[in-house]
Amino acid sequence: MRMRMRLKAAAAAVLCLHCLGVYLFTRGFLLTRTELSAFSLPSDLLQAQAPCCSELPSTTNQDQDLPGWTPPTVERVLILIVDALRFDFVAPSSLFQKKQKWMDRLPSLQHLASTHPSSSRIFKAIADPPTTSLQRLKALTTGGLPTFIDVGNSFAAPAIQEDNWIHQLVHTGRRVVMMGDDTWTQLFPHHFNHSYPYPSFNVKDLHTVDNGVAQHLVPWLHRQDWDVLIGHFLGVDHAGHIFGVDSQPMVQKLEQINAILQNVTDIMNSQKHLENTMLIVMGDHAQTLNGDHGGGTSEEVETCLFAWIPRSLPSSISSIFHPSTCGLGLNGKNICTSTMQQLDFAVSISALLGIPFPFGSIGRVNPELYALSPGSWDRQWLPASFYEDPSSDLKMWKNNYAHVLCINSWQVKRYIDSYSATSVMGFPSDDLHYITKLYNEAQSRWSDSKNRSCKPENGTIDEFSDFLLSFATLARSAWTEFDMKLMVVGLGIFIISIIFHLFVFERVQSLSNVYDNKTQKSSNHLQIYVAFLLVAVRAVSFLSNSYILAEGRVANFLLATTAIGSIRSSLVYGKIKKHDLVFLILIILIRFGIEKGMPKQAATNPFLNYDSGSDFDLKWLPSLFEGHDFVILLPEISPMIILFLLSFLSCKYITSTVHSRCIKWVVTVGTMLSYLFIATFWLSERSFAPKMVYVIGLSLFVLNFVLRYLGILEKGETVQRLRSLALVMVSAWSPTILILLGKQGPFVVLVCIIAGWSIISSKNKGLLDDCKMDPISVMQWSLLAICLFYQTGHWCTFDGLRYGAAFIGFDEFKVVRQAILLFVDTFGISHILPIFSLPFLVTIPNSSSSKGRDKTVIFLNLTQVYLLYGLITAITTTFTVLCVAIQRRHLMVWGLFAPKYVFDAIGLLLTDVLICVSALYYC
Amino acid sequence: MRKAEIGATTALALHSLCAAGLATGYWLSHSLYSSSLITDPAPTLRILTVCEAPVVILLFSWLRRDHDRCSFIKAVARGLIGLPIGALINAFGAIVLGAPVGLKFWPATFYWSMLMSLFTFVPAACVFGASKLDWQQILSYSKPSNIVDYMLSVPAHGAIIGAWLGAWPMPLDWERPWQEWPICVAYGAIAGHLIGMLFSPVLIFLHRRHIRTKTE
């Protein structure tokens, strides 16, 4: 009796620990940001009566054709993106400790920066991780910070759903032309007037994209029918990936880019229509010396932005530029650089072009970039009489900039409010209060200065900037920074739970050794070591993304290893038995099932280069039988035949195992009816049939517990009782799982049954005591469960869920109901069935030695089996957690590691819950 | 009885002959056909098999267990029969563990399993024939009485463990040509076999010393 309590208590304690660990780690790791689908509209400012535009109506009335929030300050913008542009490619080498081979290779930009210090500027642009092109482009156009949710989505379907300045441009009738990297056309499929996309994935190709851009760029510069032109060069990125930064191809590539840029600036200087055009040369991210990028190190995030406008600007601009770092350029003149955040780019370019700011942008209009546009020095909002001294350029500019910042702050505040109202996980309320306070102070100061009809002072600009920068900091901490403390605490709790688990397991182990001291005492120590070695191999394999992708095949490999090991011991102790060979053949079948799912997975996962043609080409097989009718009929008929076989098998086993007569009848009839309904569903697609299957399954499941507590199933010997309990439980679940799996269901369940039988009959080679727990069998059981998960067409990403299964028997969508079905489909064959059927491992061998065994010993063994199974799952999941924590800055963290973590965490909690239920039910 | 005459040095010499067979095969494929295991695995494995087979079969037939009832020729014949049987078992094992089964892999799989058979099955077939007891003994280590047992079992286990470990890099995304089946597995098997051949004389030496101290 104490023994039974022990399993329940231990299982409950482990469940609690795991819940806590998963909760804490998830809070620290899974950064979530909800994408808002709202778009900014030109009329928003008037409708919302934003506090900044009290004087706007006069302007908007005059300029009905200007649909933006702010007047445009440049006519056109030419954006040339050089992928993976490092800051030291552009900045003068005198700024760095040592002149390297790749520095000063873009002299055309340096020349402009030194000869036109008041109309050009080199910025060090700080990007936010992840520094991969797709995520950066998304951030650059929306002005947001990509996190788990949106990055997770963008790997599957890249088109941008959030508001962005490309959308605003198109919406306000501007003409956008794009040339270069085809990622742009994936992100914006219908936005460009003209686009010249070139493939971006062939890293070894250094020239196609760049030559394509160079070929189209010059003709377009001579044309006038565009407003924004985007050119995206990829050669520098590819040269970095292949040869590294310190290489001759990189130098050649930079020289080619320099020649193109020189040509562009010459044309801009000579063409009249380009006089009011801003040239922006920028990198989307930088790269390390090896050419890698994706992470958050300073080498990867410190990219460059160069801006220049051919028109000359007032010289007072120099007072706007921040005190900056300067160095001598190639021609001996001084070149100064500033620092900006890439986050600010989207809103700055919107302000320059005079379009509504993207709804989700959280940046600040960069003063230095804004000052580079001639329009920002013109009178925009206020009547001339307002100033006694209209010639003061600087005052005018400050007034304009304060206006823009006010609108900017209003837009960000609007985003904060609507984000807090709609998102699942908002910002911490203390921080929100602080931010709101800053905003209110800035706004009240702004309106005060208006009412007293004096000039907006420097203070206003500072207060707005303070608000915007504070919010950007808050957003960064919520969306891009993992909470390491929580993650470490969560991981620590996982480790504590494993230690606790091991301790309990060891106690039970020593207890069981006391009970059967007559036989070999240390006999299963070796097997425990082997089992833990296999667990360790599996656990360590999660450190590599490749092994996570190939997890099904790794589990299959380990399962095959144990099977071959068991054949070896069969040889040693006698001869090879039938079930050993059957098991090997089953493993081959399971493996084919796993490999069949791989191409499907590869189709949606860009990281998995799975060559379906080479590994699994049995295409020649059907051609052998071409023209025969049975080839067409076979896939239709075989599930039916196997279903029939299954119903026969289960009928036979239920009648022979369950002794209580009434239960025998109830369960047999229930199971038969379920199989009948499944067959009807497949033949006629009637939707009532699956519903009946679910109802029968649920009522059998409930009935089991009721009967169990009424004591009806208590009769008979312990072993027999346990066996019939497990059989009834499995029969209650299997028809539901089977119908959800679809036509593959009968085959999979048959494989499951035969494999289980092989594992049970091959356990404990050479030991006298058949019922003693064999750790290797438990390990095999768990490996088989993983194999079945992959064999049934699942894999650990969200597009690996079989959504079709949720609609078997139902046409309309209801969240809870469909979620439950999907859950049962995903975890049924890999968690629910294997865990409920674990008692078979202890009770099936009906040899003479098990007859009349002590009740306590059997429960001891059952406890051992459940504890070991839970321990195996807990150890692998803990390693998944550890690997995810280690790889949190990995390029594939959102595409691969995070989904794997989510699946494993859910699987672990489910395993714990099921063990608790089993402990209640069986003990 | 000849088995008593074999010492650690003889075993080492015999093993080096086997290794020399492998080395010759490797050298031949390199210099004559200028093919390596990485560029074209199937032909290279074929050359290795062809060079290794006579060495192994002749050597282990000479070491056959019951000299009185079994002639040298008969032992050679046993080895020749054992070669395809062992290859079949090895190929089956590889497929169970996940080797690809596509048509284009058949030649490489065939020659790889032949080579594996030479490492594992053929020596024992030459020495024991179909004696079930000897086979069981050699698998279980229950009575490591015989020096030839060490010579058979240690390199064979080495080859199998080497091949098993050699399969590990295959799923990694390094995109190296040697990650293809069966190149790294063949490398692992050869390496494991060579290590086993180095290791078995050491075990034999220890074993003999153990026996000597026992008898003294």
Side-chain angles (χ1 to χ4, degrees):
Chain A
M1 208 58 211
R2 265 185 59 223
M3 208 51 252
R4 302 187 195 181
M5 284 311 294
R6 188 163 295 168
L7 176 59
K8 282 174 208 169
V14 166
L15 174 65
C16 292
L17 278 176
H18 284 164
C19 282
L20 190 64
V22 166
Y23 173 74
L24 290 177
F25 191 83
T26 308
R27 278 302 299 272
F29 175 68
L30 283 190
L31 312 165
T32 40
R33 187 183 74 111
T34 314
E35 281 188 0
L36 300 185
S37 54
F39 285 82
S40 295
L41 293 173
S43 53
D44 280 352
L45 268 192
L46 294 177
Q47 281 171 2
Q49 305 199 325
C52 324
C53 24
S54 48
E55 293 154 54
L56 253 187
S58 58
T59 13
T60 39
N61 283 344
Q62 304 163 9
D63 309 325
Q64 279 296 347
D65 55 326
L66 285 183
W69 290 353
T70 55
T73 56
V74 288
E75 203 179 321
R76 299 167 209 264
V77 176
L78 169 60
I79 303 174
L80 295 179
I81 297 176
V82 181
D83 214 291
L85 184 73
R86 285 166 63 98
F87 179 60
D88 58 3
F89 286 162
V90 181
S93 58
S94 53
L95 283 178
F96 303 95
Q97 283 180 344
K98 193 169 163 244
K99 183 178 156 69
Q100 302 279 3
K101 190 164 140 190
W102 61 83
M103 291 177 180
D104 293 331
R105 296 288 174 182
L106 298 172
S108 56
L109 299 186
Q110 286 193 13
H111 178 74
L112 279 176
S114 58
T115 52
H116 301 79
S118 65
S119 64
S120 68
R121 194 71 172 169
I122 295 175
F123 294 93
K124 180 196 276 184
I126 312 288
D128 291 291
T131 44
T132 50
S133 291
L134 194 80
Q135 276 63 53
R136 283 293 85 218
L137 292 187
K138 194 166 178 177
L140 282 174
T141 50
T142 60
L145 295 164
T147 58
F148 177 60
I149 301 294
D150 32 352
V151 180
N153 286 348
S154 72
F155 276 123
I160 291 184
Q161 305 294 327
E162 280 182 295
D163 195 5
N164 57 75
W165 53 264
I166 304 272
H167 168 88
Q168 293 295 348
L169 280 175
V170 175
H171 205 69
T172 52
R174 312 295 179 86
R175 295 152 297 181
V176 189
V177 178
M178 195 288 301
M179 49 192 71
D181 187 344
D182 62 357
T183 313
W184 282 91
T185 45
Q186 289 170 28
L187 292 173
F188 306 101
H190 313 295
H191 296 67
F192 302 116
N193 284 42
H194 290 274
S195 63
Y196 305 93
Y198 292 92
S200 57
F201 275 113
N202 186 2
V203 180
K204 282 165 192 154
D205 177 3
L206 299 187
H207 300 297
T208 308
V209 180
D210 292 2
N211 293 346
V213 176
Q215 176 200 338
H216 292 293
L217 187 58
V218 176
W220 269 98
L221 286 181
H222 289 102
R223 289 169 68 162
Q224 302 205 3
D225 55 341
W226 56 275
D227 295 300
V228 174
L229 197 155
I230 300 165
H232 192 141
F233 298 97
L234 273 180
V236 173
D237 179 55
H238 288 184
H241 278 303
I242 301 288
F243 302 103
V245 170
D246 193 1
S247 66
Q248 203 53 38
M250 178 62 90
V251 171
Q252 286 165 0
K253 205 71 227 177
L254 289 172
E255 278 164 357
Q256 183 197 356
I257 299 284
N258 183 55
I260 296 171
L261 291 177
Q262 186 66 54
N263 193 10
V264 168
T265 48
D266 289 347
I267 294 172
M268 283 176 71
N269 270 325
S270 61
Q271 296 282 324
K272 187 80 178 115
H273 73 275
L274 292 176
E275 190 196 47
N276 213 353
T277 299
M278 185 181 265
L279 167 71
I280 295 178
V281 179
M282 64 188 294
D284 52 349
H285 51 76
Q287 55 182 327
T288 65
L289 289 183
N290 296 324
D292 298 328
H293 54 87
T297 64
S298 63
E299 267 198 314
E300 291 160 282
V301 299
E302 283 179 5
T303 180
C304 182
L305 189 145
F306 169 84
W308 168 65
I309 192 142
R311 231 173 86 171
S312 58
L313 295 169
S315 57
S316 52
I317 191 171
S318 56
S319 66
I320 294 162
F321 288 145
H322 275 284
S324 49
T325 42
C326 298
L328 287 181
L330 283 179
N331 51 6
K333 283 188 180 170
N334 221 16
I335 298 176
C336 292
T337 62
S338 311
T339 303
M340 71 175 283
Q341 297 291 327
Q342 249 191 7
L343 185 67
D344 299 340
F345 179 76
V347 70
S348 302
I349 199 128
S350 305
L352 289 176
L353 285 162
I355 49 175
F357 303 163
F359 189 86
S361 157
I362 55 170
R364 171 184 70 129
V365 176
N366 186 287
E368 295 163 84
L369 196 58
Y370 189 65
L372 278 174
S373 63
S376 68
W377 298 86
D378 297 344
R379 188 189 331 123
Q380 289 178 358
W381 272 282
L382 301 172
S385 59
F386 198 82
Y387 289 107
E388 313 86 61
D389 180 14
S391 63
S392 167
D393 294 325
L394 197 58
K395 275 182 185 165
M396 183 74 86
W397 184 86
K398 279 192 173 158
N399 179 48
N400 288 342
Y401 182 61
H403 258 287
V404 170
L405 266 195
C406 179
I407 296 173
N408 189 184
S409 303
W410 168 79
Q411 168 258 328
V412 170
K413 184 69 174 59
R414 180 179 67 159
Y415 177 67
I416 298 172
D417 291 341
S418 90
Y419 185 83
S420 306
T422 53
S423 76
V424 190
M425 229 151 125
F427 298 104
S429 53
D430 292 351
D431 294 326
L432 268 186
H433 280 303
Y434 175 66
I435 294 284
T436 316
K437 199 183 94 204
L438 284 182
Y439 178 73
N440 290 339
E441 276 172 11
Q443 281 297 356
S444 64
R445 191 188 180 108
W446 168 259
S447 42
D448 276 2
S449 70
K450 283 286 188 50
N451 293 342
R452 280 187 276 114
S453 68
C454 60
K455 292 135 263 175
E457 300 150 53
N458 278 348
T460 334
I461 293 178
D462 290 345
E463 283 190 349
F464 279 130
S465 295
D466 194 23
F467 159 72
L468 289 167
L469 295 178
S470 307
F471 180 66
T473 317
L474 172 64
R476 270 205 189 91
S477 76
W479 290 334
T480 67
E481 281 167 25
F482 299 109
D483 193 336
M484 275 313 282
K485 254 187 240 155
L486 281 181
M487 283 166 74
V488 169
V489 172
L491 194 59
I493 287 173
F494 274 112
I495 291 168
I496 289 170
S497 93
I498 284 186
I499 293 168
F500 171 72
H501 221 143
L502 271 174
F503 172 73
V504 176
F505 180 69
E506 197 47 48
R507 284 289 302 277
V508 176
Q509 188 79 355
S510 58
L511 252 177
S512 98
N513 280 344
V514 170
Y515 270 100
D516 44 31
N517 48 2
K518 54 207 183 255
T519 48
Q520 308 97 314
K521 219 178 198 174
S522 59
S523 56
N524 71 358
H525 271 179
L526 177 71
Q527 288 162 314
I528 286 188
Y529 292 137
V530 173
F532 278 114
L533 182 75
L534 291 173
V535 177
V537 169
R538 220 175 95 68
V540 171
S541 76
F542 293 141
L543 269 176
S544 162
N545 53 309
S546 314
Y547 287 124
I548 291 183
L549 281 172
E551 194 194 349
R553 286 193 291 170
V554 171
N556 198 57
F557 180 78
L558 294 177
L559 187 61
T561 308
T562 61
I564 289 173
S566 113
I567 284 212
R568 186 181 172 280
S569 50
S570 289
L571 271 174
V572 172
Y573 292 110
K575 59 171 192 172
I576 300 180
K577 304 241 176 57
K578 207 168 39 193
H579 51 76
D580 289 323
L581 289 177
V582 170
F583 195 36
L584 287 190
I585 289 165
L586 271 183
I587 288 171
I588 298 181
L589 285 179
I590 292 173
R591 180 196 133 202
F592 284 155
I594 293 171
E595 283 177 4
K596 213 176 75 200
M598 298 281 281
K600 265 188 265 167
Q601 186 181 356
T604 54
N605 195 329
F607 306 123
L608 183 62
N609 301 318
Y610 187 76
D611 188 1
S612 57
S614 66
D615 224 23
F616 188 68
D617 52 353
L618 288 177
K619 287 179 204 114
W620 48 272
L621 203 60
S623 63
L624 279 182
F625 304 105
E626 216 163 2
H628 293 266
D629 286 340
F630 81 92
V631 178
I632 306 154
L633 283 175
L634 201 64
E636 293 293 319
I637 290 178
S638 57
M640 291 293 172
I641 297 172
I642 300 176
L643 194 66
F644 181 74
L645 194 71
L646 277 180
S647 62
F648 173 74
L649 273 179
S650 50
C651 190
K652 190 177 156 226
Y653 278 109
I654 291 167
T655 44
S656 69
T657 325
V658 183
H659 282 272
S660 165
R661 180 164 290 172
C662 79
I663 295 178
K664 189 194 292 185
W665 276 106
V666 170
V667 176
T668 317
V669 169
T671 315
M672 288 300 105
L673 272 178
S674 300
Y675 283 125
L676 203 67
F677 281 125
I678 294 173
T680 0
F681 174 63
W682 285 344
L683 287 176
S684 66
E685 297 281 323
R686 299 262 175 78
S687 69
F688 77 91
K691 283 178 196 156
M692 290 306 294
V693 174
Y694 306 147
V695 168
I696 293 172
L698 194 64
S699 42
L700 275 182
F701 179 63
V702 174
L703 194 70
N704 283 346
F705 271 87
V706 173
L707 293 176
R708 172 81 177 77
Y709 282 93
L710 289 178
I712 294 177
L713 287 163
E714 294 292 326
K715 284 178 212 145
E717 227 180 320
T718 324
V719 175
Q720 242 163 22
R721 199 178 63 86
L722 254 184
R723 201 188 307 154
S724 53
L725 277 177
L727 192 63
V728 171
M729 186 56 127
V730 170
S731 332
W733 276 100
S734 51
T736 309
I737 292 169
L738 200 152
I739 195 170
L740 286 177
L741 285 175
K743 291 266 168 85
Q744 59 170 344
F747 176 69
V748 172
V749 173
L750 191 70
V751 164
C752 194
I753 290 171
I754 301 175
W757 166 75
S758 311
I759 291 176
I760 289 163
S761 20
S762 69
K763 70 179 187 143
N764 279 341
K765 287 277 156 40
L767 295 187
L768 292 171
D769 190 356
D770 267 350
C771 275
K772 200 163 161 52
M773 187 218 37
D774 182 3
I776 305 244
S777 314
V778 182
M779 186 66 211
Q780 284 179 328
W781 208 262
S782 126
L783 285 174
L784 178 70
I786 295 152
C787 288
L788 286 171
F789 177 79
Y790 286 95
Q791 195 213 348
T792 45
H794 301 96
W795 57 90
C796 288
T797 51
F798 300 112
D799 50 4
L801 296 171
R802 298 173 64 252
Y803 291 104
F807 292 96
I808 290 178
F810 300 98
D811 290 327
E812 72 277 31
F813 178 79
K814 277 198 185 141
V815 179
V816 177
R817 188 177 65 196
Q818 261 59 42
I820 290 173
L821 285 184
L822 194 62
F823 187 78
V824 171
D825 168 65
T826 308
F827 293 106
I829 195 85
S830 58
H831 290 77
I832 298 174
L833 274 191
I835 291 173
F836 279 139
S837 56
L838 271 176
F840 290 133
L841 266 182
V842 194
T843 57
I844 282 277
N846 213 357
S847 60
S848 53
S849 65
S850 70
K851 281 264 163 70
R853 274 153 53 97
D854 192 357
K855 211 170 158 183
T856 331
V857 177
I858 290 168
F859 280 114
L860 211 55
N861 284 334
L862 190 68
T863 311
Q864 277 178 306
V865 166
Y866 270 109
L867 282 177
L868 187 60
Y869 196 90
L871 190 57
I872 289 171
T873 319
I875 291 177
T876 36
T877 310
T878 305
F879 265 85
T880 312
V881 171
L882 182 68
C883 296
V884 165
I886 291 172
Q887 308 276 30
R888 65 187 181 282
R889 289 294 176 203
H890 193 278
L891 170 63
M892 302 177 193
V893 65
W894 303 125
L896 192 73
F897 288 101
K900 170 75 184 148
Y901 163 72
V902 172
F903 272 81
D904 270 18
I906 294 174
L908 176 68
L909 294 184
L910 179 66
T911 306
D912 290 338
V913 169
L914 289 173
I915 290 177
C916 283
V917 173
S918 306
L920 285 176
Y921 181 70
Y922 292 125
C923 289
Chain B
M1 292 296 276
R2 191 174 296 174
K3 66 179 175 188
E5 295 161 20
I6 295 176
T9 14
T10 332
L12 190 63
L14 293 177
H15 280 325
S16 7
L17 271 178
C18 292
L22 273 180
T24 319
Y26 204 78
W27 174 78
L28 266 182
S29 67
H30 237 288
S31 56
L32 281 189
Y33 302 92
S34 65
S35 68
S36 75
L37 206 48
I38 293 171
T39 49
D40 21 23
T44 315
L45 283 170
R46 182 174 62 209
I47 296 167
L48 282 177
T49 312
V50 167
C51 292
E52 181 76 349
V55 181
V56 169
I57 293 177
L58 293 178
L59 267 183
F60 284 94
S61 301
W62 179 64
L63 284 173
R64 68 195 177 275
R65 175 60 46 92
D66 37 2
H67 275 263
D68 316 328
R69 273 184 292 155
C70 178
S71 68
F72 183 73
I73 303 294
K74 202 176 164 191
V76 170
R78 285 197 306 221
L80 286 177
I81 296 168
L83 184 61
I85 297 174
L88 219 66
I89 293 173
N90 273 302
F92 182 68
I95 287 171
V96 169
L97 283 168
V101 288
L103 268 184
K104 74 169 192 184
F105 290 102
W106 283 16
T109 309
F110 176 76
Y111 292 117
W112 173 83
S113 51
M114 284 291 194
L115 192 67
M116 280 303 283
S117 171
L118 284 175
F119 289 163
T120 55
F121 195 82
V122 172
C126 289
V127 175
F128 300 139
S131 157
K132 188 183 158 194
L133 199 72
D134 286 326
W135 280 94
Q136 273 183 9
Q137 221 177 61
I138 202 161
L139 276 171
S140 66
Y141 288 117
S142 56
K143 270 186 277 173
S145 56
N146 202 316
I147 286 156
V148 182
D149 283 358
Y150 280 110
M151 286 186 61
L152 291 174
S153 124
V154 179
H157 278 93
I160 288 172
I161 294 170
W164 188 80
L165 289 175
W168 275 99
M170 282 175 71
L172 289 171
D173 59 354
W174 299 343
E175 295 187 4
R176 298 292 152 85
W178 52 263
Q179 283 177 295
E180 280 275 305
W181 165 260
I183 301 164
C184 52
V185 180
Y187 271 128
I190 292 171
H193 190 60
L194 291 176
I195 291 170
M197 290 201 294
L198 273 178
F199 201 57
S200 77
V202 178
L203 282 181
I204 292 170
F205 178 71
L206 291 176
H207 172 71
R208 299 203 89 180
R209 212 171 57 174
H210 179 70
I211 287 179
R212 213 173 295 144
T213 49
K214 231 180 185 178
T215 45
E216 276 164 14

